[in-house]
Amino acid sequence: MDTAISARGKWFLRAFFAFFVFFLYAPLLLLVMFSFNDADVPSFPLSGFTTDAYEQFASNEVLKASVLTSIKVSSIASFAAVGLGLLAAIALVRRQFLAKGAVVALLLSPLVIPYIVFAIALLILFSQIDRLPGIAFPLSIWTLVIGHVVILLPAVILILVPRLERIDVRLEEAAHDLGAGWVRTFRSITLPLIWPALLSAFLIAFVFSFDEIVLASFVAGDATTFPLYLFSQLRFPTLLPQVIAVAVIVFAVSMIVIVLTEIGRRVVERRLQIELDPAKYPAGAE
Amino acid sequence: MSSDTDTVPTPAPPTRRRRVDLGTFGLVGPPVVWLVVFFVVPVIIAGAFSVGILAFFQDEAAFSLDGWIDFLDGSAYLHLFWKSARMSLIVSVIAVLLAYPVAYFMALCAPKRKYVLLLMIIAPFFVSYFLRLLAMKVILGDQGVINSLAYWLGLRDPDDPIPALIYSQPAVIITLVFVYVPLVALPIFVVLENLDRRLLEAATDLGASRLTAFRAVTLPLSLPGVLAGFIFVFVPTLGEYFTPLLVGGTGGFMFGNSIADLYGPSLDWQTGSVLSIFLLAVIALLMVLFGLAGRFLAFRSAPTG
Amino acid sequence: MTGSKPQPSWESAINRRRFVELGMLAAGTTFLAACGGSSSGGATGASGTIADEPGNLSVLEWAGYEYPAYGGKTATGVLQGYVDSYQAPKYTFLTSDDQALAKVRAGFKPDIVHPCVSYVQDWVDLDAIQPWDTALLKNFGDLNPSLVKGGQVDGKQYFIPADWGFSSPLYRSDKVEPDGEESWNLFYDKRYKGKISWWDSPVENFLIYGYTQGFDPYDFANWTDTQLTDATKFLIEKKKLVRNFWSSGTDFDADVANGNVWVGYAWGGSYTAAKAKGLEVVYSEPKEGRLSWNCGFVLAKETKNYHHAHAYVDDWIGAASAAWIIPNYAYGHSNTAVALGGVDPALVSAFHLDDPTALEEPKAHIERYVPDRRRFAKAWDEVKAA
C-alpha cells in the first residue's frame, strides 16, 4: 500500500489541488479573453473580437524593449541571487562560525523592509557613490540588478537551506575521504541532489524580479522594465489592451514550457523503461 | 524528533566542521558583503532619515527623536501596526494550512509529475499581479461572474450584490492567501520530496496507521520547510501594501499602506522611515525571541539525501 | 569586527551586530554629510549655443506624452518639429508627482520634468530647478496668461504650463439622480451607499469638504486644528458610503465599467472611457465649481542641455503638438491659439476646451501649492486607517 496516503486521501488531495489550480488560472483565462476584446477596459459584456492589441504591441517598440529589459534584468539577478544564496546556504548548513544567528537574520532581513524605503535609500547610496571623485556609477539595469539580488536572496536561502539540511553530510565526507576536493564533491555529490531546489529557487527569483515595480521605478535610471511600463500607463486605459496582450503572451510561453516539460518527462521515462526492460521492448521499439 | 529511536536505528548526528578558515569566509563572505553594502547601508540611511539627520529638504535636517516619540506614544500608526500584524498572522496560518496539502500532493502523491505540477502553480506569477487582480475584479465585481450566478440562482436580488467579494478586509485576506500559497508550498515541497519512504514503511510495518506515521515521521521532518514557508509569508505581509490598495476598499488599510503614503504624497520621509525601521526591529526581535534562526538551521539527523 | 570576545549565544550576537551598526551609522552619516547636501555650483546658464551641448535630453515624463506618443498609433505631430532637428530625447516614466520629486531628491538627474503646478514650490524648495528663459520660447506668447502666472515663483518663470483639465464628479445618469443641483455633495449621498469612489489623495478630499461646507479651502487660514478635526471626523463618517479609494485611472475606469461604482471623482479621461463602453454618464458641473489641474515643464538646475530643453518645450507648447494632444486625450492645452476644428464638439463643450477662462476662479478651482501638505496627509491617513 502507499504509506504516504490512502486512496481516499489521494482523491481528496487531487480534488483540492485541482480546485486550487482552477482558481489560480481563472483570472488568466479571463485575461486571454479580454486580450481579444475590442475595448480598453476589461469588463463584461464583451465588445467584439479583434487582434488589434497584438498588432499594436508588435509595433510598440518601447513596450517590446521593456519586456526584453525585464527578461535581461530578471535572468541576471536570479542567476546571481541563486549563486550567492547557494554559497550562503552551504555555509549556514555545513559550517560553524560566530554570530551565525546574526548572519541568518541579516540574510533574511530584506524580506521585511518595505521596498519603497529600500529603493529610495539605495538610490541615495548609488548617487553618493557616483559622486565620489574618479568613480562613475550610473543608474542602469545593473543598479537594478544589484537591488533585485538583495531582495531575492532571502527567498533563495529559504528554499535551499531546508533542502541542504536533508542531505547527509556523511556522503560528502565519504567523498573527501576518497580524495575528492571541494569542487569535485560539490559537482558529483551535492549538485545532483539539489538541482531541483536550485531550479525552483531560480524560478521563484525570476518571477519575483520580473514583476517587481518599486525598485525598477527608482534605481533603474532611464531603463524601463515591463512592470514599470505597465504602471506608468495606468493613467489612461488606452494602452491596457496591448499590455494585456503581452501578459497573455508571457502566459502562453510559460504554458508551452510546462507542456514541453511534461512531454520531455514522458520521453525520458519511456526511454528508461526501454533500457531497463529490453525484453519487453525489443530493440528499436517505441 | 525522530521519535522511533527505539525501532529505527538513528544515524549519529553528523559532525559539523569547526572550520573557521578561508573556505568559510569564501562561502559566507560574498553574500554577507553584498548585503552589508547594498542593504545595511541603505537601512542606515533610512535610520538617518528617521532621526532627522537626513531630510527630504536637506536644509530642514536636524537631529530629533520626535518622529520616534510621536510614533511610539500611542499614535494611530502604532495601532494600525497591531491591526496589520493580526491580519498577517491570519493570512500566514491559513496559507501554511493550505500550502501543506498542496506541497504534500505534489511531493508524495505525484512522484512522476511533481515538477510539472510545481511549474503549474508557479507559472501564473509570470503574469503581472496587477493584471490578474484586474481580471479578478471582473469575476468578483457587482456584475461579475459570482454575483451573476447568485442572481440567476435567486440567492440575491440584482440590486443587492454581495459587496464583500472585493474591497473589503476578507477580500484582502483571501487574495493574499492565494498569492502566497505557492510560495509557502515551495520550501515544504522541497523538503517533502526527499522524504525517505522507508521510514514510513517501517512505521506502518510496526503497526502504525498512516495518520500516526504522518504525525510521527513526516510532519516533524518537514518542519524546517514549514517554518521557512511561514517566514516566507508572515514577514512580507507585515509590510504589504499593494494588495490592500487594490482590493482593500475603505476597510483594508494596512501598515504598509501608511508607509507607502508617507513616502508618497505626504513626502514625510521621517515618519515613513520610523515606521520602516520599527518593522525591521520587530522582526529582528521576533527572530531572536523565537530563536527562529536556530530552529531553522535545526541539525536534525538527516538520513538520506 | 569589534574587539570583544566571540560569544556564541543569540542575544549577544544580535547585540554585537547592533553595536556595529551604530558605528557604521556614525561613519556613514559623516560620509553622507560630507558628500551630500544640496547640489553644488550654480545653474547652467544661457552661455554657449545649442551646438555646444551634448544633445542627449533626458525627460522625466508621464507616459503618453513622450515621442513617439503611444507607440502603435500614429504619432506625428507631438514633438515632430524637435525630433526632426535634434536627437530624440530619452524618456523615463514617472508614476506620480511625489515619485518624481523623490527620485530627483534621491539623486536621479533628468534635464526636464513634467510635474503639476501645485508641486512647483516643492521643486524650487528642493533647489533642483532653475527658471526658464521665456525669450527663447517662440510660442510663449500664445499661452494662457492665467496659467503662465500660476507657474511663477518669486516672480520667476519656473514652470511652463502645458496641459490642463478638470476633476469633477462623474456619475451614471441611468442610476443616479443628483439631489437638486449638481454638487460635490453627491460624494456624501447615502442613497448611493457602496457605489461611490473617492480619489486616494490627501489634499483633494479636504478641498471637496471645504467647498461643500461653504468655505474656501485654499484660504489656509480656514484650516484651524478644530476645522481639520471636524473634517476628519466627517470624512470618517462618510467613508462608510464609499466603495473604494481609487489609485489609478485604469482601476477607476474598470470599476465604472464593471458596475461596481456609479459615482466617482474623475478626470476627463474617465468620462471618455465610460462613454466608449456605452454607459450613460455625466461629467458634472457641481455648483461649487469643478477642480482643475495644470501640468507643465520645469528645467533642471544642472542640465547640460539648456538650449535643447528650451527647444523641446517650445515645440511641445506649439500648435502642432497641441493639435495632437487635444483630440487624442481630450485634455486642454495651454496654447490658446490652437484651432479646435478637428475635435469632437461634444468633448469641446464637456471639457470647455475652447474657453481659456474655464479653469480659473470662480468657475473652477485650479490646483495650488499646499504649504502644509503633511498635516493633511496625516489627517487623510487617519481617515483611511479608521
Side-chain angles (χ1 to χ4, degrees), chain A residues 40-41 213 227-241 243, chain B residues 130-131 134 246, chain C residues 59-70 78 91-100 113-117 162-167 170 199 246-256 265-274 283 293-297 312 316 324-325 328-332 367:
Chain A
D40 284 346
V41 180
I213 168 75
L228 181 56
Y229 185 84
L230 162 57
F231 271 82
S232 42
Q233 297 301 336
L234 291 182
R235 275 192 315 145
F236 338 90
T238 322
L239 276 202
L240 197 56
V243 166
Chain B
F130 175 76
L131 290 179
L134 207 57
L246 291 179
Chain C
V59 184
L60 186 56
E61 181 61 283
W62 301 94
Y65 288 156
E66 74 274 19
Y67 175 85
Y70 276 0
V78 182
Y91 289 96
T92 309
F93 294 133
L94 55 89
T95 49
S96 68
D97 268 306
D98 44 87
Q99 187 252 352
V113 188
H114 192 148
C116 298
V117 75
D163 47 307
W164 57 265
F166 292 105
S167 309
L170 175 81
W199 186 32
W246 62 265
S247 51
S248 74
T250 302
D251 217 14
F252 176 67
D253 292 345
D255 270 338
V256 171
Y265 179 102
W267 298 319
S270 298
Y271 173 72
T272 42
Y283 196 56
W293 54 266
N294 173 221
C295 304
F297 297 101
Y312 179 91
W316 217 104
W324 195 91
I325 297 279
N328 277 287
Y329 295 149
Y331 280 167
E367 59 169 311

Side-chain angles (χ1 to χ4, degrees), chain B residues 5 13 95 156 193 243 249 254 290:
Chain B
T5 33
R156 281 189 94 99
E193 71 161 334
T243 306
M254 284 178 78
F290 289 105

Side-chain angles (χ1 to χ4, degrees), chain A residues 8 19 28 46 66 76 79 84 96 118 148 150 153 159 161 200 202 206 213 223 243-245 263 266 269 280 283:
Chain A
R8 207 181 322 164
F19 251 113
L28 295 168
L46 300 177
S66 75
I76 301 172
F79 200 73
L84 281 177
Q96 181 68 325
F118 178 54
H148 274 188
V150 171
L153 260 178
I159 292 172
V161 165
S200 310
F202 181 85
F206 189 91
I213 168 75
V243 166
I244 293 181
I263 294 177
R266 291 205 192 170
E269 199 181 308
K280 211 166 167 197

Side-chain angles (χ1 to χ4, degrees), chain A residues 159 195-205, chain B residues 115 118 122 186 189-190:
Chain A
I159 292 172
W195 73 260
L198 282 177
L199 201 61
S200 310
F202 181 85
L203 274 177
I204 284 289
Chain B
Y115 296 121
L118 187 66
I122 295 183
L186 202 55
F189 167 79
V190 157

Side-chain angles (χ1 to χ4, degrees), chain B residues 36 40-41 44-45 48-49 53-60 76-77 80 83 130 134 137-138 141-143 161-163 166-167 245-246 249-250 253 258 261-262 264-269 281 284 288 293-294, chain C residues 10-11 14 18 21 24-25 29 32 37-38 98 101-102 105-106 119 122 125-126 172 194-195 200 202 239 242-245 247-248 250-251 254-255 257-260 373-374 377-378 380-382 384-386:
Chain B
V36 164
V40 174
V41 173
I44 293 175
I45 293 176
F49 273 105
I53 300 177
L54 292 176
F56 186 83
F57 296 113
Q58 195 57 30
D59 35 336
E60 286 177 359
Y77 293 124
L80 188 62
K83 177 175 159 209
F130 175 76
L134 207 57
K137 289 195 195 184
V138 177
D142 289 354
Q143 286 165 200
I162 310 171
I166 46 167
Y167 303 143
L245 183 68
L246 291 179
T250 55
F253 194 67
S258 55
D261 276 354
L262 287 166
S266 317
L267 292 177
D268 186 357
W269 289 13
V288 169
Chain C
W10 278 98
E11 291 67 27
I14 296 284
R18 285 271 171 265
E21 272 193 303
M24 292 181 69
L25 173 70
T29 45
L32 286 171
S38 59
D98 44 87
L101 267 171
R105 162 65 178 89
Y119 281 88
D122 292 293
D125 289 341
L126 204 56
R172 290 268 296 266
K195 292 296 198 183
D200 183 2
K239 193 173 78 152
V242 178
R243 190 66 183 278
N244 185 32
F245 300 128
S247 51
S248 74
T250 302
D251 217 14
D255 270 338
N258 281 311
N260 297 326
R373 204 177 282 127
R374 239 169 266 186
K378 205 155 186 198
W380 179 237
D381 264 3
E382 250 177 84
K384 285 201 282 184

Side-chain angles (χ1 to χ4, degrees), chain B:
Chain B
M1 277 273 187
S2 40
S3 41
D4 293 57
T5 33
D6 301 326
T7 44
V8 177
T10 319
T15 53
R16 296 187 205 160
R17 311 229 153 183
R18 279 200 154 265
R19 218 186 282 172
V20 186
D21 59 6
L22 226 51
T24 311
F25 282 133
L27 284 175
V28 87
V32 166
V33 167
W34 188 284
L35 282 184
V36 164
V37 175
F38 296 118
F39 179 71
V40 174
V41 173
V43 168
I44 293 175
I45 293 176
F49 273 105
S50 77
V51 292
I53 300 177
L54 292 176
F56 186 83
F57 296 113
Q58 195 57 30
D59 35 336
E60 286 177 359
F63 182 86
S64 132
L65 290 174
D66 282 349
W68 281 99
I69 296 172
D70 283 340
F71 170 65
L72 293 170
D73 193 19
S75 71
Y77 293 124
L78 195 57
H79 184 72
L80 188 62
F81 174 74
W82 295 120
K83 177 175 159 209
S84 297
R86 224 179 319 133
M87 246 164 78
S88 289
L89 200 59
I90 296 173
V91 168
S92 308
V93 169
I94 300 178
V96 169
L97 287 176
L98 291 182
Y100 201 97
V102 169
Y104 198 90
F105 176 73
M106 291 192 299
L108 297 174
C109 306
K112 297 195 191 138
R113 292 216 168 85
K114 51 185 172 176
Y115 296 121
V116 176
L117 293 179
L118 187 66
L119 277 179
M120 270 180 74
I121 63 169
I122 295 183
F125 290 84
F126 278 99
V127 177
S128 156
Y129 184 48
F130 175 76
L131 290 179
R132 281 185 289 148
L133 282 182
L134 207 57
M136 278 309 281
K137 289 195 195 184
V138 177
I139 301 176
L140 300 174
D142 289 354
Q143 286 165 200
V145 173
I146 301 204
N147 271 309
S148 302
L149 201 65
Y151 306 151
W152 187 66
L153 290 176
L155 292 173
R156 281 189 94 99
D157 214 19
D159 290 330
D160 180 30
I162 310 171
L165 291 175
I166 46 167
Y167 303 143
S168 66
Q169 249 194 50
V172 175
I173 292 178
I174 294 174
T175 311
L176 283 176
V177 166
F178 251 95
V179 171
Y180 278 95
V181 162
L183 260 45
V184 174
L186 202 55
I188 302 179
F189 167 79
V190 157
V191 167
L192 281 178
E193 71 161 334
N194 298 288
L195 183 69
D196 190 1
R197 294 287 194 124
R198 292 173 299 168
L199 292 172
L200 289 175
E201 278 168 26
T204 46
D205 281 349
L206 293 162
S209 69
R210 281 196 197 91
L211 193 58
T212 318
F214 170 76
R215 236 174 336 128
V217 180
T218 317
L219 193 54
L221 288 175
S222 62
L223 275 184
V226 172
L227 194 61
F230 183 83
I231 296 176
F232 228 162
V233 58
F234 182 66
V235 171
T237 48
L238 276 178
E240 177 77 37
Y241 87 97
F242 194 55
T243 306
L245 183 68
L246 291 179
V247 300
T250 55
F253 194 67
M254 284 178 78
F255 191 66
N257 293 99
S258 55
I259 295 181
D261 276 354
L262 287 166
Y263 263 87
S266 317
L267 292 177
D268 186 357
W269 289 13
Q270 178 166 15
T271 315
S273 305
V274 166
L275 267 57
S276 308
I277 304 277
F278 176 74
L279 200 56
L280 259 174
V282 165
I283 297 297
L285 191 70
L286 276 176
M287 293 191 95
V288 169
L289 281 180
F290 289 105
L292 270 182
R295 235 173 276 166
F296 177 51
L297 294 177
F299 248 70
R300 308 294 166 207
S301 41
T304 78

